[in-house]
């Protein structure tokens, strides 16, 4: 697999304070071709027709939504509502943060709705899935449609090597949140990709090694009210690294 075949995209949580049309314009300016849609752009309360229309707007702009989320879940009713939302959108992967004891229920729902789940790790503050390994261990033994969204920054803050985690969990990695942190420690803060402590080349090499075809989505969290310059720098850095691999 060639490096330039990775789907270098954006998790639209990055652009959560921008209206949908403005977010699409930013992605077009950065030549981004894939994305993961957050509910700030794909509202949970939208009707099925509205959801399809929003997805179609991104697709018409040359941006393919490959996943939705992150979607929070608390109980079986909220899980079912989330699956109905994802199914109505027509996007086949849902990034989510469910309770640890909910996997048997999710196993039933992925079979019913035929949607892949990507359990998101949220770092040392997360009691359920601090790293991809807890998510992987929870999912294994259940339907293979239950997989992972590896958040590389939170993974590193929780003390695990993101590249190794991608390789170790390769059979269930369905989505990536790409970012950098100021220091590789629990108190690491969001920063432009390439300025921080993560070994970004090793992460990209791991994704190439597993022939990853999902969204490698920048989740740039440093400047919520003015994210475009930092996102553009991050995109440029990663594209430069990919040319050397």
């Amino acid at each position: 697999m060639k490096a330039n075949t990775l789907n270098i995209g954006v998790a639209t949580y990055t652009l959560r304070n921008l209206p949908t049309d403005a977010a699409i314009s930013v992605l077009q300016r950065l030549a981004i071709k894939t994305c993961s849609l957050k509910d700030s752009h794909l509202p949970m309360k939208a009707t099925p027709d509205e959801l399809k229309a929003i997805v179609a707007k991104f697709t018409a702009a040359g941006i393919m939504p490959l996943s939705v989320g992150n979607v929070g879940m608390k109980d079986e009713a909220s899980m079912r509502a989330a699956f109905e939302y994802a199914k109505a959108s027509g996007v086949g992967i849902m990034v989510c943060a469910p309770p640890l004891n909910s996997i048997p229920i999710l196993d039933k729902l992925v079979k019913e709705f035929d949607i892949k789940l990507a359990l998101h790790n949220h770092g040392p503050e997360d009691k359920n899935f601090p790293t991809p390994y807890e998510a992987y261990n929870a999912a294994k033994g259940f339907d293979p449609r239950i997989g992972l969204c590896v958040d590389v920054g939170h993974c590193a803050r929780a003390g695990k090597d993101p590249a190794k985690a991608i390789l170790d969990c390769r059979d269930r990695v369905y989505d990536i949140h790409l970012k950098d942190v100021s220091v590789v420690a629990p108190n690491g803060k969001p920063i432009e990709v390439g300025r921080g402590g993560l070994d970004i080349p090793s992460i990209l090499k791991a994704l190439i090694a597993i022939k990853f075809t999902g969204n490698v989505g920048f989740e740039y969290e440093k400047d919520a009210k003015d994210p475009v310059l930092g996102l553009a720098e991050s995109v440029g850095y990663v594209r430069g690294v990919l040319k050397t691999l």
Side-chain angles (χ1 to χ4, degrees):
M1 181 176 183
K2 294 180 179 179
N4 60 10
T5 62
L6 288 176
N7 292 315
I8 301 300
V10 166
T12 70
Y13 179 75
T14 300
L15 306 170
R16 59 196 177 277
N17 290 316
L18 295 182
T20 296
D21 288 346
I24 287 173
S25 178
V26 169
L27 299 183
Q28 287 179 314
R29 287 172 60 193
L30 297 178
I32 294 294
K33 301 299 183 184
T34 62
C35 70
S36 179
L37 289 174
K38 183 63 176 168
D39 57 0
S40 50
H41 302 113
L42 191 72
M44 292 284 294
K45 294 183 179 180
T47 68
D49 285 345
E50 289 169 339
L51 293 171
K52 288 183 175 65
I54 294 168
V55 170
K57 180 177 283 193
F58 278 85
T59 303
I63 305 157
M64 179 62 66
L66 295 182
S67 63
V68 300
N70 193 347
V71 178
M73 300 174 177
K74 294 182 179 180
D75 52 28
E76 186 167 358
S78 65
M79 292 173 201
R80 179 167 290 276
F83 273 86
E84 290 171 348
Y85 161 77
K87 190 72 172 182
S89 75
V91 178
I93 298 174
M94 177 167 55
V95 179
C96 59
L100 183 60
N101 62 0
S102 67
I103 303 301
I105 299 171
L106 296 173
D107 184 66
K108 178 180 70 174
L109 292 171
V110 295
K111 293 170 183 173
E112 178 181 343
F113 286 88
D114 191 23
I115 289 172
K116 287 183 177 179
L117 291 186
L119 306 177
H120 186 287
N121 60 285
H122 270 112
E125 302 84 4
D126 186 347
K127 294 181 180 179
N128 294 320
F129 309 118
T131 79
Y133 291 103
E134 288 79 15
Y136 186 84
N137 288 335
K140 69 181 181 181
F142 289 95
D143 192 286
R145 282 167 287 200
I146 303 176
L148 316 179
C149 170
V150 177
D151 185 306
V152 300
H154 291 321
C155 178
R157 289 196 310 108
K160 299 298 182 181
D161 177 0
K164 187 175 186 302
I166 289 167
L167 294 171
D168 289 343
C169 304
R170 66 176 68 198
D171 58 313
R172 294 203 184 223
V173 177
Y174 297 145
D175 200 270
I176 297 290
H177 281 178
L178 187 62
K179 60 184 62 169
D180 208 343
V181 291
S182 55
V183 293
V184 180
N187 64 345
K189 304 298 182 185
I191 196 168
E192 292 84 353
V193 177
R195 293 198 201 187
L198 292 193
D199 184 350
I200 300 298
S202 74
I203 292 168
L204 297 173
K205 287 178 183 177
L207 291 169
I208 293 165
I210 70 169
K211 297 180 170 60
F212 185 67
T213 59
N215 189 53
V216 183
F218 287 96
E219 190 180 46
Y220 178 69
E221 299 176 289
K222 180 184 173 188
D223 303 303
K225 294 183 178 179
D226 185 22
V228 178
L229 288 178
L231 175 61
E233 178 181 332
S234 299
V235 171
Y237 172 81
V238 166
R239 285 180 175 153
V241 170
L242 285 172
K243 288 183 177 180
T244 71
L245 300 181

